[in-house]
Amino acid sequence: AQMLALDRCTGGAVGTNRKALPRTLAMPGGAAHHFGALDGEELAMWQEAARAGLDVDLLYAPHALRVLFDTLLSHERAGEGDATTLYLHTGGLEGVESQLRRYRRAGWEV
């Protein structure tokens, strides 16, 4: 309720897609996520990003990209595909090699 009131005060239009404040995305259905846990889907997402030329970390970015893509697809299906979306990558590339070693030790092909 406080964020809605703040959004109204800063120029957001309640009941429309025009909001002054950004919306933080979450996994559909509120699924829990355990950062640092080895996950085949997240490894595949990281590998796909790398093939596309995106240098992102292997700990947070795969989950963030999965949430982003799931949200964009659901908005597109609902006819709300015209919203502006901003993704901020905040770094963390230093840990990629150590995370890749963890996957290798667990028997994953990377």
Side-chain angles (χ1 to χ4, degrees), residues 4-16:
L4 288 175
L6 180 60
D7 199 34
R8 256 193 316 273
C9 292
T10 57
V14 174
T16 72

Side-chain angles (χ1 to χ4, degrees), residues 20-72:
L21 300 177
R23 182 171 59 99
T24 302
L25 304 180
M27 277 300 279
H33 180 263
H34 303 284
F35 284 102
L38 302 182
D39 182 306
E41 286 183 36
E42 293 195 0
L43 178 60
M45 177 66 76
W46 179 83
Q47 290 169 328
E48 184 66 28
R51 280 191 292 275
L54 297 173
D55 290 327
V56 295
D57 69 276
L58 186 51
L59 190 59
Y60 300 106
H63 178 70
L65 291 172
R66 186 166 48 176
V67 170
L68 176 64
F69 294 150
D70 287 350
T71 301
L72 291 174

